[in-house]
Amino acid sequence: MASRTSSPLIHPDVDDLDLFKIMSALTDETRLTIVVTLSVSPGLACSGFTQDVTASVLTRHFRVLREAGLIRQHDIGTRRINTLRKEELDQRFPGLLDLVLKESVGRVKPYVNDECA
Amino acid sequence: MASRTSSPLIHPDVDDLDLFKIMSALTDETRLTIVVTLSVSPGLACSGFTQDVTASVLTRHFRVLREAGLIRQHDIGTRRINTLRKEELDQRFPGLLDLVLKESVGRVKPYVNDECA
């Protein structure tokens, strides 16, 4: 099956992960919600991830997260699968992601949508 | 001696420190430079902290850092003394500040000015 896009999806290597880029990415509530959701629903693929923003805005948020090294994206047919790079993040910045997830409680909730695959 | 300002300097309690407010504060290079400088020069008071920004901009950066709980400010006469809230930050978010300081190496340098007290 043809891939969703012909342009390659760029992911930073674990050694190139930038703490400040990661922190900047996490200061946005929509992006934080995506990260929290992926922490409980690995491999989520859903164009209607949240109802509060347009598809193009959502695409930009996913790109920021990918370029910061927080998530990995790969295409299966027309679906773009998103996973949290938890092991690599834990390796590079031990404790950071757990701290972020802990502190996100009460601030954002994982997105739940029965239509999500 | 009269204090520098009649308006009280508000500092969040350690239990109210907000990880995301702290991360947001640290995504600015001038503010990161201030934090790195205060980590090696505690109690720094200097109106000419950096030469790259105006005094009013610098005042705003210090306020953002204070309101995020990263620094404590107090006035002695006409001088405003700045200190990093390292112990409280270490208590609330263990390892975070050390990680920030470690990752700031090569990105920003502590500001050095012989006129600083």
Side-chain angles (χ1 to χ4, degrees):
Chain A
M1 196 180 284
S3 74
R4 186 171 181 269
T5 174
S6 58
S7 54
L9 292 167
I10 307 296
H11 297 85
D13 289 338
V14 64
D15 291 338
D16 294 330
L17 294 180
D18 181 327
L19 176 67
F20 301 97
K21 209 167 180 176
I22 286 173
M23 293 199 302
S24 177
L26 291 171
T27 56
D28 177 275
E29 286 219 346
T30 299
R31 290 195 291 267
L32 181 60
T33 301
I34 293 171
V35 166
V36 169
T37 303
L38 291 176
S39 75
V40 293
S41 303
L44 196 69
C46 181
S47 57
F49 201 94
T50 130
Q51 296 162 322
D52 299 331
V53 295
T54 64
S56 64
V57 169
L58 200 58
T59 298
R60 197 169 65 236
H61 283 313
F62 274 105
R63 193 179 64 239
V64 170
L65 289 170
R66 174 170 48 80
E67 291 178 350
L70 279 156
I71 67 169
R72 190 170 290 282
Q73 295 187 296
H74 69 280
D75 294 335
I76 298 182
T78 57
R79 297 168 70 215
R80 179 152 292 177
I81 307 296
N82 305 287
T83 47
L84 208 52
R85 296 178 64 177
K86 186 165 188 332
E87 282 187 19
E88 291 163 291
L89 288 160
D90 287 348
Q91 175 189 333
R92 180 76 177 81
F93 305 119
L96 180 67
L97 190 58
D98 285 336
L99 179 63
V100 166
L101 295 174
K102 180 184 167 205
E103 294 297 319
S104 71
V105 175
R107 173 181 297 260
V108 300
K109 288 181 181 175
Y111 186 68
V112 179
N113 183 344
D114 290 341
E115 293 175 17
C116 286
Chain B
M1 192 182 286
S3 74
R4 186 172 180 268
T5 173
S6 58
S7 54
L9 291 167
I10 307 296
H11 296 86
D13 289 338
V14 64
D15 290 339
D16 295 330
L17 294 180
D18 181 329
L19 176 67
F20 301 96
K21 209 166 180 177
I22 286 173
M23 293 198 303
S24 177
L26 292 170
T27 56
D28 177 274
E29 286 219 346
T30 299
R31 290 195 291 266
L32 181 60
T33 301
I34 292 171
V35 167
V36 169
T37 302
L38 290 176
S39 75
V40 292
S41 303
L44 195 69
C46 182
S47 58
F49 199 95
T50 131
Q51 296 163 323
D52 299 332
V53 295
T54 64
S56 64
V57 169
L58 199 59
T59 298
R60 197 169 67 235
H61 282 314
F62 275 105
R63 191 178 67 238
V64 171
L65 289 170
R66 174 169 49 79
E67 291 177 351
L70 279 156
I71 66 168
R72 190 170 289 282
Q73 297 187 295
H74 69 281
D75 295 335
I76 299 181
T78 58
R79 296 167 70 214
R80 179 152 291 176
I81 307 296
N82 305 287
T83 48
L84 207 52
R85 295 178 64 177
K86 186 163 188 336
E87 282 187 20
E88 291 163 291
L89 288 159
D90 287 348
Q91 175 189 332
R92 181 76 177 80
F93 305 120
L96 179 67
L97 190 57
D98 285 335
L99 179 63
V100 166
L101 294 174
K102 180 184 167 205
E103 294 297 320
S104 72
V105 175
R107 174 180 296 259
V108 300
K109 288 181 182 176
Y111 186 67
V112 178
N113 183 345
D114 291 341
E115 294 176 17
C116 286

